[in-house]
Amino acid sequence: MPAYRPPHIASKEITPKSAYLSRRSLMAASAGGALATLFGPGAAMAEALKTIPSAYKVDDKLTPKKDVTSYNNFYEFGLDKADPAALSGDFKPRPWTVVVDGMVAKPQRFDIDALIKEFPVEERVYRMRCVEAWSMVIPWDGFPLAALLDKVEPLGSAKYVAFETVVRPAEMPGQKGLFQSLPWPYVEGLRLDEARHPLTLLAVGLYGETLPSQNGAPIRLVVPWKYGFKGIKSIVRITLTDKQPVNTWQAANPQEYGFYANVNPAVDHPRWSQASERRIGESGFFGAGRHPTLPFNGYADEVASLYSGMDLKANF
Ligand SMILES: Nc1nc2c(c(=O)[nH]1)N[C@H]1C(S)=C(S)[C@@H](COP(=O)(O)O)O[C@H]1N2
Ligand SMILES: [Mo]
C-alpha cells in the first residue's frame, strides 16, 4: 500500500482527518437548510449544489482507494502508472500558496489551509474518464471553483481561466534530467462558464482524507465531464484571461488532444476507440470491467447546454 502522505509532513501541517469526517457526516445528516449555519460563509454554494443530485453523487460502485492512489497519471513524477505513488515521497504539499490573478478586481494569494477553512468542503462522487480509455469512480472532497472565482471578482473582459502546476525538479523526479516528457509547468484551461459550472471542483481530499501527493496534493482541478488530463494537479496559479489558454496535451500533440476534451464516445482517439472504457478495480480482463463510455461522461443533462451550436467533432 502506498503511503497517503509523505512521512516527513507533520500531521499538524495537514488538515485533520476529523475535519473532513465530521463535515462528511454532517453533510449526510443534513437534508436541508442547516448547511449555512454549519459551514459558514460559502454555504449558499453547497445549498445550490443540492439541486443537481444526479451530478453530485453517481451511483456507480466506488473504485477502491488503493487503486485510486496507486494507478495514476502525474508525469512530473514519472510516466509509469505506479511512479507517482512510488516517487513522490520528497514532495512537500505544505506550506502552499495559490495565486489567483489576471483579469480580476481583487487578485490574491491564498494559503491552502486558509482556503480549506474558508470554503465548505463537500464530498462529490464523480466518474473520472482518462483519455486513455480507463475510468474510476472517486469520492472527492473539495469546493466549487466558482466559490474561489467569486472571491477575486472576475472582470467583464475575462473569458477563460488558466491553471498552472508547480515546478519543483528537486521534489518531482519527472521534471529532472535530459529526457523530459513534457514542457513544465503543466498548464490547463477552461472557458469561464465551464469554470463556473457547479460541477467543477477544486479537490483537496479524497475518501475523506487529505489529498495524496500522487493525486495532486494539495489542490487539483476536477472537471468530471472532460477527459482526465483537464484535471490539472498541484495548482499554484489560476489566471483569468481573455485569450483561450494553451493546455499541455494540446500543445504536445494537437492532432490527438484538444482544448475542450469533453468525453465523447462518438469521437475516437486517432489511435484507439473511445466507445468504451476499462473500470479500474473491477474484475474482468486485466482486472478491469468494461463499461460503455457516456456522452459528457454521463453529465450531459448538466453540461450539454454549454456547447449548444458547437461542432463537437471539430472541438474535441
Ligand atoms: N500536473 C499534472 N496534472 C495532471 C497530469 C499530469 O501528468 N500532470 N495527468 C492528468 C491525467 S492524464 C489524468 S487521467 C489525471 C489523473 O488523475 P489521478 O491520477 O488522480 O487519477 O490527472 C491529470 N492531471
Ligand atoms: Mo489521462
Side-chain angles (χ1 to χ4, degrees):
M1 284 278 291
Y4 295 122
R5 345 181 138 133
H8 61 270
I9 303 283
S11 54
K12 68 172 169 50
E13 293 175 284
I14 293 178
T15 305
K17 183 176 178 179
S18 59
Y20 288 118
L21 294 180
S22 59
R23 279 180 180 133
R24 275 150 60 93
S25 48
L26 285 170
M27 299 245 3
S30 147
L35 279 170
T37 40
L38 292 172
F39 295 119
M45 182 60 62
E47 271 303 294
L49 288 161
K50 301 179 81 179
T51 63
I52 47 166
S54 68
Y56 176 65
K57 259 184 175 60
V58 296
D59 293 331
D60 307 33
K61 193 171 170 301
L62 296 184
T63 303
K65 186 164 81 170
K66 72 167 168 39
D67 294 309
V68 175
T69 57
S70 64
Y71 186 95
N72 299 100
N73 273 334
F74 199 168
Y75 279 19
E76 285 86 337
F77 293 108
L79 304 188
D80 195 87
K81 294 288 185 283
D83 286 343
L87 303 178
S88 56
D90 288 335
F91 186 66
K92 295 177 190 63
R94 297 288 194 289
W96 193 275
T97 304
V98 181
V99 174
V100 188
D101 64 1
M103 295 179 154
V104 298
K106 299 184 172 162
Q108 276 172 76
R109 312 171 66 88
F110 295 92
D111 169 71
I112 184 66
D113 292 307
L115 265 186
I116 292 172
K117 279 207 194 83
E118 173 144 12
F119 301 113
V121 173
E122 50 184 299
E123 183 185 72
R124 306 282 189 93
V125 179
Y126 284 163
R127 282 180 288 269
M128 218 245 333
R129 171 55 156 87
C130 176
V131 75
E132 298 164 334
W134 54 266
S135 64
M136 297 189 185
V137 182
I138 304 176
W140 300 106
D141 302 283
F143 54 88
L145 173 59
L148 178 58
L149 294 177
D150 284 347
K151 195 100 191 124
V152 297
E153 299 178 16
L155 303 179
S157 49
K159 297 284 178 277
Y160 296 91
V161 186
F163 304 84
E164 207 175 293
T165 293
V166 75
V167 179
R168 286 192 196 161
E171 298 175 27
M172 303 175 112
Q175 289 182 335
K176 274 195 286 236
L178 288 173
F179 302 100
Q180 298 224 3
S181 50
L182 292 169
W184 313 113
Y186 191 100
V187 289
E188 257 304 338
L190 294 172
R191 248 172 31 193
L192 185 55
D193 59 343
E194 297 175 324
R196 281 192 177 288
H197 192 280
L199 282 170
T200 303
L201 196 71
L202 285 170
V204 295
L206 59 80
Y207 266 102
E209 293 180 12
T210 304
L211 199 63
S213 293
Q214 59 268 35
N215 295 93
I219 184 163
R220 62 89 58 84
L221 185 66
V222 182
V223 194
W225 69 94
K226 292 177 179 285
Y227 289 118
F229 67 82
K230 298 297 290 182
I232 182 172
K233 295 178 168 181
S234 305
I235 297 168
V236 288
R237 177 170 237 115
I238 299 176
T239 305
L240 284 280
T241 163
D242 58 356
K243 295 190 183 57
Q244 184 172 300
V246 173
N247 54 313
T248 289
W249 280 104
Q250 184 184 26
N253 193 342
Q255 271 73 49
E256 299 192 353
Y257 309 104
F259 173 77
Y260 281 94
N262 291 319
V263 174
N264 190 344
V267 177
D268 286 338
H269 188 278
R271 291 181 281 132
W272 57 81
S273 165
Q274 294 291 30
S276 69
E277 62 205 55
R278 297 183 304 123
R279 186 62 56 83
I280 302 300
E282 289 186 1
S283 56
F285 287 116
F286 308 108
R290 202 88 212 171
H291 289 245
T293 289
L294 304 171
F296 297 105
N297 204 23
Y299 299 94
D301 287 350
E302 287 80 17
V303 301
S305 62
L306 293 175
Y307 310 101
S308 58
M310 185 179 263
D311 179 354
L312 297 176
K313 282 205 186 331
N315 292 288
F316 61 92

